Amino acid sequence: MKLKGLLIDLDGSIYRGDTPLHYSKEFIEFLRERNVKFIFLTNNSTKLPEEYMEKLGKMGISSNIDEILTSGIATAIYLKKIKNQGTAYVIGEKALKKVISDIGWKLCEDEDIVDSVVVGLDREFTFEKLRKANYYIRNGAKFIATNPDKTFPTENGIDPGAGSLVVAVSAASQKRPFVIGKPSPYMGKIAIEKLGLNLEEVGVIGDRIDTDIYFGKRLKVKTFLLLTGVTLKKDLEKSKIKPDFVFENLEYLVKFLKEHLEK
Amino acid sequence: MKLKGLLIDLDGSIYRGDTPLHYSKEFIEFLRERNVKFIFLTNNSTKLPEEYMEKLGKMGISSNIDEILTSGIATAIYLKKIKNQGTAYVIGEKALKKVISDIGWKLCEDEDIVDSVVVGLDREFTFEKLRKANYYIRNGAKFIATNPDKTFPTENGIDPGAGSLVVAVSAASQKRPFVIGKPSPYMGKIAIEKLGLNLEEVGVIGDRIDTDIYFGKRLKVKTFLLLTGVTLKKDLEKSKIKPDFVFENLEYLVKFLKEHLEK
């Protein structure tokens, strides 16, 4: 099998919450030995790549900053592509505001017009922020959503996710957003560009059939489902979306790759 | 024509903002002379019936408290019907909280479980309120929306309406609300019950084809469109929803009723 790069989901694939999943360290070491490039992808815009590096490091998994792509970073890359130095009204937390500010865009609150409105998870969301986003979009700003996830799992249960704020802005402004995060293929295109590979050389690994695998299908790359997270065998049987390969855990995936990767 | 009662829209039909529309005073006086009962209906849950009485009074239109039905009052009537004394988590402003409290329901914030979550327009909406509503609905609370209007016209433009908050709660909780306000027929049923009339004796008057007239169609009553508000003649031609009668203004409506009302 021709496989030179992987887009790898984190939560449910590499770890669950703060606990590393079986064989995650060995899996990443295997990829490095065999020179398979990879990027970890996450829809979470509230953390910086550095924070993920640190989290992975604690699990014995070394990574560099270019190997982590958050929906926040992908949003910043998108903004930079449409305009070198623009103005944005951002509904989001510190990390999202930082990455947008870092690429040279100006964060605005009081101007009459901005180039873009970016909506990500913001646990300090208010009616006033909704009103401002609506106002700017109605005045012509491009409406961008970091990710469409309507819920966000926490230790205390299921909380509203970025997608729940996005639908409010969308309802008020009567505009649909351009979505960056999975299952939108946009974040995948950015990742593949970073890897410098062609579609037929790339695979997606994840634990959610409706986001990770659907995302891989939309990108037209190989898809590897891990049964270590959200999607269970019975969900897989019911789903219309069929991954190319399914594995009980990362150890089976490594075994498979050992046998099937081109030397 | 057999017409013993009317459900009358306010903004765009009786007044526009703070300005009374042509012949509104004469129209109401005509209805009183001819013993046609009526109820003014509004989807706005942020004002009390008393405030509407005062507003109408300033325009020379006298009314009593039973002639005004806000979506807040209709919500309170609905709650009272499902349970005499229940508990509610309310996203809404002072007026909505007052009418729910007035019927003997308890407003809760910190309990583990409530009977109902009510969502109306709340210009102090926060992520924390969204999180709580989501939590209660996931714990079994009935989800009720005062009205579905996604936008709300203000002097400064178009602001987010109750419906924009409702979609956020709906996205997070993955539940659809029971909707009280127009075009849901529920508020109409309450109004007709208050009038003590049968469906064939009732008509709906309003300026919006997609809310007022659609609402009348769903209620299966006669529909009268006024071209003094949102819907213009060209919208009417394009719309699949056809009102039974269309009038340029209230004076023409009164002329028509003079000729066609049963003596």
Side-chain angles (χ1 to χ4, degrees):
Chain A
M1 194 198 306
K2 204 160 128 190
L3 189 71
K4 294 191 178 168
L6 284 170
L7 313 187
I8 306 171
D9 171 56
L10 285 168
D11 208 354
S13 302
I14 297 298
Y15 51 72
R16 188 182 297 136
D18 284 324
T19 313
L21 284 163
H22 173 66
Y23 227 68
S24 53
K25 185 173 181 294
E26 292 84 350
F27 169 59
I28 299 302
E29 285 167 356
F30 168 78
L31 295 180
R32 294 211 190 276
E33 275 166 31
R34 298 294 292 265
N35 288 316
V36 178
K37 299 190 216 175
F38 60 87
I39 292 189
F40 294 116
L41 296 193
T42 172
N43 271 2
N44 188 347
S45 74
T46 68
K47 283 187 180 159
L48 293 170
E50 291 85 341
E51 295 174 81
Y52 283 104
M53 282 174 65
E54 197 188 319
K55 178 169 185 169
L56 289 164
K58 282 182 190 160
M59 298 175 183
I61 299 168
S62 68
S63 57
N64 66 58
I65 200 139
D66 284 327
E67 285 168 343
I68 292 156
L69 186 64
T70 67
S71 68
I73 294 287
T75 299
I77 292 171
Y78 174 73
L79 291 175
K80 195 72 182 172
K81 279 180 191 243
I82 57 172
K83 196 168 181 178
N84 189 43
Q85 288 185 312
T87 53
Y89 178 65
V90 178
I91 292 182
E93 300 192 1
K94 226 169 130 184
L96 182 60
K97 288 181 177 167
K98 182 179 186 310
V99 297
I100 291 172
S101 171
D102 282 355
I103 53 144
W105 272 54
K106 193 181 159 202
L107 307 182
C108 301
E109 298 244 327
D110 301 313
E111 284 73 358
D112 267 353
I113 286 179
V114 295
D115 294 314
S116 294
V117 167
V118 175
V119 182
L121 180 60
D122 179 353
R123 282 162 288 195
E124 293 185 5
F125 184 73
T126 60
F127 187 85
E128 189 53 23
K129 291 182 180 182
L130 172 59
R131 204 188 61 73
K132 275 196 181 172
N134 172 55
Y135 171 84
Y136 283 129
I137 294 166
R138 285 180 178 267
N139 272 312
K142 196 169 169 63
F143 174 20
I144 298 157
T146 58
N147 62 302
D149 307 76
K150 295 193 166 79
T151 59
F152 187 78
T154 72
E155 281 167 24
N156 303 315
I158 296 168
D159 265 8
S164 292
L165 310 184
V166 170
V167 294
V169 175
S170 197
S173 63
Q174 287 160 25
K175 285 265 185 273
R176 285 168 171 274
F178 180 75
V179 179
I180 302 290
K182 298 183 276 185
S184 158
Y186 189 78
M187 192 150 94
K189 284 178 191 158
I190 296 280
I192 294 169
E193 209 176 287
K194 272 174 159 262
L195 291 173
L197 296 174
N198 300 316
L199 286 180
E200 61 275 18
E201 302 169 315
V202 175
V204 162
I205 294 179
D207 71 307
R208 285 171 177 256
I209 202 151
D210 55 343
T211 49
D212 301 313
I213 303 305
Y214 178 51
F215 166 70
K217 295 283 175 190
R218 289 177 80 179
L219 272 175
K220 299 192 170 66
V221 301
K222 292 175 200 75
T223 53
F224 301 80
L225 179 70
L226 291 167
L227 296 173
T228 47
V230 168
T231 299
L232 308 173
K233 221 173 228 170
K234 60 170 197 216
D235 305 319
L236 175 61
E237 283 155 17
K238 275 185 265 169
S239 174
K240 280 184 186 168
I241 305 164
K242 301 292 178 197
D244 296 311
F245 307 100
V246 182
F247 301 93
E248 288 290 332
N249 60 40
L250 288 168
E251 186 170 2
Y252 286 101
L253 172 58
V254 170
K255 267 187 197 159
F256 171 87
L257 292 176
K258 273 184 183 163
E259 286 168 25
H260 292 88
L261 276 188
E262 275 180 10
K263 303 267 159 167
Chain B
M1 195 199 304
K2 206 159 126 188
L3 190 70
K4 294 190 176 168
L6 284 171
L7 313 187
I8 306 172
D9 171 57
L10 285 168
D11 208 352
S13 302
I14 296 298
Y15 51 71
R16 189 181 297 136
D18 285 323
T19 313
L21 283 164
H22 174 64
Y23 227 68
S24 54
K25 187 173 178 295
E26 292 84 351
F27 169 58
I28 298 303
E29 285 167 356
F30 169 78
L31 295 180
R32 294 211 190 276
E33 275 166 32
R34 298 294 291 263
N35 287 315
V36 178
K37 298 191 216 175
F38 58 87
I39 292 189
F40 294 115
L41 297 192
T42 170
N43 270 2
N44 188 346
S45 75
T46 68
K47 282 189 181 158
L48 294 169
E50 292 84 340
E51 295 174 83
Y52 282 104
M53 281 173 67
E54 198 188 318
K55 178 167 185 171
L56 289 165
K58 281 184 191 159
M59 297 174 182
I61 299 167
S62 68
S63 58
N64 65 61
I65 199 142
D66 283 329
E67 286 168 344
I68 291 155
L69 187 64
T70 66
S71 68
I73 293 287
T75 299
I77 292 171
Y78 174 73
L79 292 175
K80 194 72 180 172
K81 280 181 191 242
I82 57 171
K83 196 168 182 179
N84 189 42
Q85 290 185 311
T87 52
Y89 178 66
V90 178
I91 293 182
E93 300 193 1
K94 226 169 132 185
L96 182 61
K97 288 181 177 165
K98 182 179 186 313
V99 297
I100 291 172
S101 173
D102 282 353
I103 53 143
W105 271 53
K106 195 181 159 203
L107 307 182
C108 301
E109 298 243 328
D110 302 312
E111 284 73 358
D112 267 355
I113 286 180
V114 295
D115 295 313
S116 294
V117 166
V118 175
V119 182
L121 181 59
D122 181 353
R123 282 161 287 194
E124 292 184 6
F125 184 73
T126 60
F127 187 84
E128 189 54 23
K129 292 183 181 182
L130 172 60
R131 205 190 58 75
K132 276 197 179 171
N134 172 55
Y135 171 84
Y136 283 129
I137 294 167
R138 287 181 176 267
N139 272 313
K142 196 168 167 62
F143 174 20
I144 298 157
T146 58
N147 62 303
D149 307 74
K150 295 193 168 78
T151 59
F152 187 79
T154 72
E155 281 167 25
N156 304 316
I158 296 169
D159 264 8
S164 292
L165 311 184
V166 170
V167 296
V169 174
S170 196
S173 63
Q174 286 160 27
K175 285 265 184 272
R176 285 169 171 274
F178 180 74
V179 179
I180 302 289
K182 299 182 277 184
S184 158
Y186 189 78
M187 192 149 95
K189 284 179 189 157
I190 296 279
I192 294 169
E193 208 176 288
K194 272 174 159 263
L195 291 173
L197 296 174
N198 300 315
L199 286 180
E200 62 276 15
E201 301 170 318
V202 174
V204 161
I205 294 180
D207 71 307
R208 284 171 179 257
I209 202 150
D210 55 343
T211 51
D212 301 312
I213 303 305
Y214 178 51
F215 166 70
K217 295 283 175 190
R218 290 176 81 178
L219 271 174
K220 300 192 171 66
V221 301
K222 291 174 201 77
T223 51
F224 301 80
L225 178 70
L226 291 167
L227 297 173
T228 47
V230 168
T231 299
L232 308 174
K233 221 172 226 170
K234 61 171 196 219
D235 306 319
L236 175 61
E237 283 155 17
K238 275 185 262 170
S239 174
K240 280 184 186 170
I241 304 164
K242 300 292 177 196
D244 297 312
F245 307 100
V246 182
F247 300 94
E248 288 288 332
N249 61 39
L250 288 168
E251 186 170 2
Y252 286 102
L253 172 58
V254 169
K255 268 188 196 158
F256 172 86
L257 292 176
K258 274 185 183 163
E259 286 168 25
H260 292 88
L261 274 189
E262 275 180 11
K263 302 267 159 166

